[in-house]
């Protein structure tokens, strides 16, 4: 008997309609832990990394983590791993809510989706009973309505649904997979891959209890860690009170709140769209994910949309300051639209910001737009109008649906695009946190903050404060540690926000208690390192050219920050990158040497 | 005269978004002054962990509580916070 997992994977071939069960043992867990680990194993083993991401050759793995479905704090997460149509490299999108835990409780640890269906289908899972069903009646429907219809059809309000909206169906390159209405496996266009397979949704209901090896021991470890989180000033107080949007004022005061496509590092109207302002004006209550003692999720109520969830910090920024927009109610509405159409908010905002920059420079003109609203900084009409247009690929939305990079390229200004590996950057200007900039440049999934959040040490002071402009080896090592540790937390099925209270040893305790293993923190971190390297290996096989693509937009490396506390600073990426490669044990050209792959047990994937 | 800005929970405790403070040499002195004005609730919130910026720069990257405060400086005081 296995603990933590069932040792069962569901393989669904949409081309043939075949549904199979496959099994795995404890060795597989010790090797890959879960989510990203399981996902990269299957992608490296079973698909050509050069395959077209929207073709039937691409595979999609929906995977739970080691502690998903247990009572471990925040143990409810799942990830979607596939090849990204936005970056052409690995996509590893993580989501909370309740879907992941339900999947595990239905007796499944992961689902491998392969092939392509001719007509819209959805996957219905009720414990051991699994079937593909017609989805023509929900094709074209937004996320909220899709969830409503499929829940009614199932006849059980406890059912959990991961689905795509019109954006995924229309292959928008940054479409998300959504669950619980507003929780997103957001980044990298995983929703477009699902759309290309004509898989509208996965609907799941489970009635099983996830077992751990020693229930009473596990409960006591869970209690201990939950107490730490509850008593922590950030996890127990800051996040529940203000949500992640508490960062608006912090990042703005620190002078790295990207404003108008990263032209500036401070936004004049930040205060009006801060977590404090949101709590005062629109907040009804907070809403935690499965087994979460933190509860950063926001339920807001505005006149135009009524009750909705979010926006969290990144979305608030992407659809606000990055476009020069200050009206909080409009931003909340835009966020709601993104969720309902099934769009990644960061890339949506980043793409619109690129359009504004192009318009401002006269490269994109009103002639190109026809009657549609002009892309002027601060024009709130833009967000609502173009979000629906791009989700439906109508009018100029057809161009926007390709993402910021392809838009900038089309209008002859690649430097107008603020992203890495064709993915739009999140809400921190790295000219005010240089280690975080190295994180952007080296992230396996492109412009991204959550796979190694160096804002923690550089700005917030966790686990201890590091100078944001220190670029010594200590900083580079910290980034590597964050990348590896985050891979462990992801693979464990936990939320990265637990890191504000918990350290690497706490995750070790939880994992060991669930499985009855006696592994050291170093051994768990080694799995994180293996995952990071395996994902990198996938990217290299897909054609990554490290020296050209482990990079940042010129604005961040060559144009000094014009004002504020970081005035005069750029990201000294060239000084950090070679040391990063060396400290990772990689070659000077950013490839991974054979000995390193061997050390990590990755020879069989070369 | 320096301007001191409060954020997050500190706004509810002080009932203010910002105040002006005169005659303090450094951040340590400023905190003592703030403890006197706003009492234990304020003190408990920031004494252990906090984030204090002088003109947008974290005091931990400068001289800690000995970081000097000059006229017209802007001091931002946050309780411990995080997100992402
Ligand atoms: S901290 Fe927030 S995102 Fe993380 S599990 Fe809890 S509610 Fe969900």
């Amino acid at each position: 008997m296995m603990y933590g997992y069932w040792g069962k994977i569901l393989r669904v071939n949409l081309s043939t309609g075949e549904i199979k069960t496959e099994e795995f043992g404890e060795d597989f867990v010790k090797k890959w832990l879960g989510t990203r680990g399981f996902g990269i194993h299957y992608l490296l083993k079973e698909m050509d990394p050069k395959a077209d991401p929207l073709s039937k050759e691409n595979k999609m793995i929906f995977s739970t983590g080691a502690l998903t479905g247990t009572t471990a704090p925040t143990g409810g997460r799942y990830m979607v791993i596939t090849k990204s149509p936005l970056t052409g490299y690995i996509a590893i999108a993580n989501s909370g809510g309740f879907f992941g835990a339900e999947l595990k409780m239905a007796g499944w640890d992961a689902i491998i989706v392969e092939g392509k269906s001719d007509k819209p289908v959805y996957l219905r899972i009720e414990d051991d009973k699994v079937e593909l069903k017609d989805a023509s009646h929900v094709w074209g429907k937004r996320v909220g309505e899709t969830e409503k219809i499929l829940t009614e059809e199932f006849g059980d309000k406890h059912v959990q649904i991961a689905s795509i909206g019109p954006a995924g169906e229309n292959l928008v390159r940054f479409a998300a997979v959504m669950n619980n209405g507003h929780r997103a496996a957001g980044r990298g266009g995983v929703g477009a891959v699902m759309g290309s397979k004509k898989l509208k949704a996965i609907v799941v209901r489970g009635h099983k209890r996830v077992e751990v090896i020693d229930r009473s021991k596990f409960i006591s470890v869970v209690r201990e860690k939950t107490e730490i989180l509850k008593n922590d000033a950030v996890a127990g107080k800051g996040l529940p009170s203000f949500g992640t949007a508490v960062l608006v004022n912090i990042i703005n005061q620190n002078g790295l709140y990207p404003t108008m496509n990263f032209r500036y590092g401070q936004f004049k109207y930040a205060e009006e769209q801060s977590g404090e302002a949101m709590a005062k004006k629109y907040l009804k209550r907070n809403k935690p994910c499965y087994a979460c003692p933190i509860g950063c999720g926001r339920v807001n109520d505005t006149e135009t949309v009524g009750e909705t969830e979010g926006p969290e910090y990144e979305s608030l920024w992407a659809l606000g300051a990055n476009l020069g927009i200050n009206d909080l109610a409009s931003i909340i509405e835009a966020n709601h639209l993104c969720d309902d159409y099934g769009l990644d908010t960061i890339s949506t905002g980043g793409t619109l910001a690129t359009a504004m920059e192009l318009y401002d420079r006269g490269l994109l003109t009103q002639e190109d737009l026809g009657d549609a609203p002009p892309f002027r900084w601060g024009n709130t009409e833009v967000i609502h109008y173009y979000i629906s247009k791009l989700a439906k690929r109508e009018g100029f939305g057809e161009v926007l649906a390709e993402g910021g990079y392809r838009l900038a390229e089309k209008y002859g200004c690649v430097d107008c695009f603020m992203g890495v590996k064709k993915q739009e950057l999140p809400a921190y200007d790295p000219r005010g946190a240089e280690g975080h900039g190295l994180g952007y440049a080296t992230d396996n999934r492109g412009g991204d903050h959550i796979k190694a959040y160096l804002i923690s040490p550089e700005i917030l002071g966790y686990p201890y404060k590091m100078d944001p402009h220190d670029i010594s080896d200590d900083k580079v090592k910290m980034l590597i540690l964050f990348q590896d540790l985050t891979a462990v937390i992801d693979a464990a099925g936990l939320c990265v926000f637990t890191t504000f209270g918990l350290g690497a040893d706490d995750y070790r305790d939880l994992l060991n208690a669930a499985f009855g293993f006696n592994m050291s923190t170093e051994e768990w971190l080694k799995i994180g390192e293996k995952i990071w390297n395996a994902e990198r290996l996938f990217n290299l096989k897909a054609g990554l050219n490290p020296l050209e693509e482990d990079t940042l937009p010129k604005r961040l490396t060559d144009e000094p920050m014009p004002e504020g506390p970081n005035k005069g600073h750029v990201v000294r990426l060239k000084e950090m990158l070679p040391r990063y490669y060396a400290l990772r044990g990689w070659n000077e050209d950013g490839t991974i040497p054979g000995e390193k792959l061997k050390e990590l047990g990755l020879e069989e994937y070369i | 005269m320096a301007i001191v800005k409060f954020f997050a929970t500190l706004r509810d405790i002080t009932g203010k978004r910002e105040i002006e403070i005169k005659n303090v040499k450094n951040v340590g002195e400023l905190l003592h002054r703030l403890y006197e004005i706003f009492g234990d609730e304020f003190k408990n919130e920031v004494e252990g962990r906090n984030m204090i910026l002088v003109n947008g720069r974290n005091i931990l990257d400068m001289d800690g509580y000995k970081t000097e405060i000059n006229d017209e400086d802007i001091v931002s005081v946050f309780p411990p916070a995080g997100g992402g």
Side-chain angles (χ1 to χ4, degrees), chain A residues 139-458:
Chain A
W139 198 253
K141 300 255 185 287
R142 296 203 213 168
V143 170
E145 215 187 334
T146 301
E147 288 189 0
K148 201 168 146 237
I149 294 171
L150 295 180
T151 304
E152 271 167 22
E153 208 162 292
F154 202 102
D156 182 342
K157 68 178 189 331
H158 299 296
V159 76
Q160 296 298 327
I161 298 170
S163 71
I164 52 168
E169 295 173 12
N170 294 323
L171 312 182
V172 175
R173 284 187 194 271
F174 44 93
V177 173
M178 306 295 301
N179 58 282
N180 301 99
H182 302 275
R183 288 281 163 187
R187 306 226 67 196
V190 293
V193 177
M194 197 160 159
S196 76
K197 300 194 174 308
K198 291 240 166 23
L199 178 63
K200 177 70 177 173
I202 300 175
V203 181
V204 59
R205 181 73 175 110
H207 299 87
K208 303 179 188 185
R209 189 165 92 168
V210 181
E211 294 296 344
V212 292
I213 190 158
D214 178 343
R215 199 143 199 96
S216 63
K217 168 92 193 297
F218 186 69
I219 288 171
S220 84
V221 177
V222 166
R223 275 212 189 110
E224 182 201 324
K225 308 305 175 194
T226 305
E227 274 313 296
I228 298 177
L229 289 169
K230 281 192 170 150
N231 294 324
D232 181 76
V234 177
K237 198 165 177 187
L239 280 170
S241 314
F242 296 102
T244 55
V246 73
L247 285 179
V248 172
N249 275 327
I250 295 177
I251 302 301
N252 193 53
Q253 291 289 313
N254 277 278
L256 62 156
Y257 194 51
T259 301
M260 295 159 74
N261 204 31
F262 290 74
R263 285 187 176 180
Y264 312 103
Q266 284 185 317
F267 187 46
K268 214 168 36 179
Y269 304 106
E271 183 61 55
E272 292 170 31
Q273 52 185 242
S274 63
E276 290 90 330
M278 193 157 77
K280 216 170 219 130
K281 278 195 188 152
Y282 303 113
L283 182 67
K284 288 219 91 168
R285 58 184 181 277
N286 59 354
K287 189 170 178 186
C289 301
Y290 172 87
C292 177
I294 304 171
C296 73
R298 310 283 87 187
V299 176
N300 283 312
D301 193 357
T302 70
E303 253 170 49
T304 38
V305 276
E307 260 197 29
T308 181
E309 284 176 43
E312 48 86 47
Y313 170 69
E314 303 293 332
S315 312
L316 185 52
W317 159 81
L319 303 166
N322 200 32
L323 306 172
I325 286 171
N326 67 345
D327 177 37
L328 184 51
S330 293
I331 299 169
I332 293 176
E333 187 179 344
N335 181 69
H336 179 84
L337 282 174
C338 284
D339 287 353
D340 218 21
Y341 279 113
L343 285 164
D344 173 39
T345 49
I346 299 178
S347 284
T348 300
T351 301
L352 296 175
T354 311
M356 285 183 172
E357 174 106 27
L358 292 166
Y359 192 89
D360 193 25
R361 293 189 183 208
L363 297 167
L364 171 66
T365 62
Q366 197 59 44
E367 224 170 279
D368 300 304
L369 304 176
D371 295 340
F375 278 106
R376 281 209 194 88
W377 300 113
N379 181 3
T380 47
E381 211 190 341
V382 163
I383 39 177
H384 305 139
Y385 178 87
Y386 286 110
I387 285 170
S388 62
K389 288 291 171 195
L390 74 87
K392 295 187 220 154
R393 281 191 181 263
E394 285 173 3
F396 195 70
E398 182 70 58
V399 184
L400 298 172
E402 294 293 297
Y405 177 82
R406 291 167 179 86
L407 170 70
E409 198 181 34
K410 183 177 162 87
Y411 288 92
C413 179
V414 170
D415 291 340
C416 293
F417 169 68
M418 299 305 292
V420 175
K421 299 183 178 73
K422 303 192 177 79
Q423 176 160 268
E424 294 73 14
L425 287 178
Y428 314 86
D429 191 316
R431 287 173 293 184
E434 297 189 55
H436 194 68
L438 179 63
Y440 285 163
T442 57
D443 199 302
N444 288 323
R445 62 175 192 168
D448 171 61
H449 65 294
I450 207 76
K451 298 283 162 254
Y453 192 60
L454 267 233
I455 293 302
S456 245
E458 293 191 295

Side-chain angles (χ1 to χ4, degrees), chain A residues 232-234 237 239 242 246-247 249-250 253-254 271 276 314 428 449 453 459-460 462 465 467-468 500 565, chain B residues 5-9 11-12 17 45 49 51 53 55-58 60-61 74 76 78-84:
Chain A
D232 181 76
V234 177
K237 198 165 177 187
L239 280 170
F242 296 102
V246 73
L247 285 179
N249 275 327
I250 295 177
Q253 291 289 313
N254 277 278
E271 183 61 55
E276 290 90 330
E314 303 293 332
Y428 314 86
H449 65 294
Y453 192 60
I459 303 296
L460 305 171
Y462 306 98
K465 183 74 178 70
D467 189 315
F500 290 111
Chain B
K5 294 186 173 191
F6 302 116
F7 295 93
T9 45
R11 288 188 179 168
D12 297 326
R17 276 195 192 186
E45 195 77 2
R49 269 158 72 181
M51 180 196 288
L53 314 175
N55 300 325
R57 293 190 57 206
N58 198 308
L60 296 178
D61 300 324
I74 293 175
S76 314
F78 295 87

Side-chain angles (χ1 to χ4, degrees), chain A residues 444-493:
Chain A
N444 288 323
R445 62 175 192 168
D448 171 61
H449 65 294
I450 207 76
K451 298 283 162 254
Y453 192 60
L454 267 233
I455 293 302
S456 245
E458 293 191 295
I459 303 296
L460 305 171
Y462 306 98
Y464 53 85
K465 183 74 178 70
M466 295 182 105
D467 189 315
H469 298 294
D470 161 45
I471 56 164
S472 68
D473 281 1
D474 285 348
K475 183 66 74 63
V476 179
K477 283 182 196 155
M478 187 61 112
L479 176 70
I480 292 171
L481 173 65
F482 266 56
Q483 289 175 337
D484 295 349
L485 178 60
T486 304
V488 174
I489 298 168
D490 279 346

